[in-house]
Amino acid sequence: MSDLNQLKKEFDEVSDFLIALGDEKRQAIIITLLQANSCKGLRVIDLTDATELSRPAVSHHLKILKQVGLIELHSEGTKNYYSLSHKTTEIDKLKKLLNHVTEIMGKSVETK
Amino acid sequence: MSDLNQLKKEFDEVSDFLIALGDEKRQAIIITLLQANSCKGLRVIDLTDATELSRPAVSHHLKILKQVGLIELHSEGTKNYYSLSHKTTEIDKLKKLLNHVTEIMGKSVETK
DNA sequence: TTCAATGGTTTAAAATATTAAACGTTAGAG
DNA sequence: CTCTAACGTTTAATATTTTAAACCATTGAA
C-alpha cells in the first residue's frame, strides 16, 4: 500500500520530465544538441536554424527543458550557450519508475 | 550519424507513450489499475469512482492508454474490464532510448 | 554615450487537448 | 419485444499549450 503511495510520488516527480520529453519540437532540440557535441554548446540562433522554429519558440522550449534539468547554459556576454546537462538525475528517476512499474505488473500476474 | 537517425526514430516511436504517461489523470488511472491487481480488471464505472473523472473522460483516457499498448481489455457481454497489459514492449523501448541517450551524453563529455 | 547584436519576456492569437452533454449501440433480463 | 445497464462516440465548449509579434534589457564595440 505504501508501495503505491511511493509510486504515486514517483509518477508525480517525473510528470514534467515526461511532458518535456514527449514534445516533438523539444525532441528536435535535444537531438540537435546531442548531435553538436561541442563543449561550448549551441546558441538560440543555431537552434532556430536547425529546428525551423522561431526564436521565441526555441526560447520557450529551452526554458522547459532547463526546468526539468535536461539542459544547462553558460553565458558569455550576451551570448548564451545551451548544452545537454551532464547530470542524468531525471533520466535515472524515470528509469527507476519504469522498473518499479514493470515489477508490480509482474507481481500482479502471480497474485491470482 | 546514422546513430542520430536511429535516435530520432526511437524518439518518434516513444512520443505517444511519453505523452500518454505524462498526464496526471492517466497516471491516476494507471495507479488505480496497478492497485486493483485483480485478474479481471476494472470497469469504466470503477475508474470514474476512483479518479473523480466523468465517464466520457475516463473512456477517452483509456482509449489513449490502449493505443500505446499500456492497457488491455476483455469484454463480457456489455461489461468491459480494463487491466494493465502484461506486455512491456513500450516500456522496454523507452528504457532502451534512455540508455541510448545517456550513452551519447557520456560520449560527448570525452569528445573534447 | 550611442548603436548593433543577442536573447529573454509579455501579450495576444492559433492550435491542440480535455471535458461534458447528448446520442447511439449492444447485451441481457423480463 | 421492451426496458435497462454498460459503455463507446460525436459534437461543442473549455482549458491549456504553442507560437509570433512587439517590446525590453544587457553587453560590447565604436
Side-chain angles (χ1 to χ4, degrees):
Chain A
M1 178 56 78
S2 85
D3 222 27
L4 282 155
N5 286 335
Q6 171 63 20
L7 198 64
K8 195 174 158 61
K9 208 177 121 213
E10 279 184 61
F11 261 116
D12 205 56
E13 282 180 7
V14 297
S15 265
D16 289 342
F17 184 63
L18 287 168
I19 292 169
L21 217 54
D23 185 85
E24 195 186 335
K25 307 296 176 59
R26 289 191 284 268
Q27 288 175 7
I29 291 177
I30 291 169
I31 288 173
T32 307
L33 289 177
L34 275 171
Q35 187 167 201
N37 58 356
S38 69
C39 280
K40 268 211 149 184
L42 295 178
R43 292 180 309 159
V44 174
I45 285 286
D46 302 328
L47 290 166
T48 61
D49 291 347
T51 61
E52 309 211 325
L53 288 168
S54 71
R55 191 171 58 70
V58 170
S59 214
H60 173 241
H61 289 303
L62 285 173
K63 191 178 177 185
I64 290 173
L65 291 172
K66 192 148 66 69
Q67 277 171 347
V68 300
L70 250 171
I71 63 173
E72 49 196 19
L73 87 136
H74 79 107
S75 309
E76 289 181 14
T78 92
K79 292 175 183 170
N80 292 352
Y81 292 91
Y82 290 89
S83 55
L84 289 170
S85 168
H86 291 136
K87 288 172 194 157
T88 56
T89 322
E90 290 301 310
I91 294 182
D92 293 338
K93 264 192 206 169
L94 180 51
K95 279 187 195 170
K96 195 176 288 183
L97 171 62
L98 293 176
N99 286 330
H100 203 155
V101 169
T102 47
E103 191 188 310
I104 296 184
M105 280 166 71
K107 248 193 275 181
S108 72
V109 174
E110 297 141 38
T111 318
K112 154 73 199 304
Chain B
M1 178 55 78
S2 84
D3 223 28
L4 281 156
N5 285 336
Q6 170 63 20
L7 199 64
K8 194 172 160 60
K9 206 177 124 215
E10 280 184 60
F11 260 117
D12 206 56
E13 282 179 7
V14 298
S15 265
D16 288 343
F17 184 64
L18 287 167
I19 291 168
L21 217 55
D23 185 85
E24 196 187 335
K25 308 296 176 58
R26 290 191 281 267
Q27 288 175 9
I29 291 177
I30 292 169
I31 289 173
T32 307
L33 289 177
L34 275 171
Q35 186 167 201
N37 58 355
S38 70
C39 281
K40 269 211 148 182
L42 295 178
R43 291 179 309 159
V44 174
I45 284 285
D46 301 328
L47 288 165
T48 61
D49 292 347
T51 60
E52 307 209 327
L53 288 168
S54 74
R55 189 173 59 70
V58 170
S59 214
H60 173 241
H61 289 304
L62 285 173
K63 189 178 176 184
I64 291 173
L65 291 172
K66 192 149 66 68
Q67 277 171 348
V68 300
L70 250 170
I71 62 174
E72 50 196 18
L73 86 135
H74 79 107
S75 309
E76 289 182 13
T78 91
K79 291 175 184 173
N80 292 353
Y81 292 91
Y82 290 89
S83 55
L84 289 170
S85 168
H86 291 136
K87 288 173 194 157
T88 57
T89 322
E90 290 300 311
I91 294 181
D92 293 339
K93 265 191 206 168
L94 180 51
K95 278 185 194 171
K96 196 176 286 182
L97 170 61
L98 293 176
N99 287 330
H100 204 155
V101 170
T102 47
E103 191 188 311
I104 297 184
M105 280 166 72
K107 247 193 276 181
S108 73
V109 173
E110 296 141 38
T111 318
K112 147 85 197 312

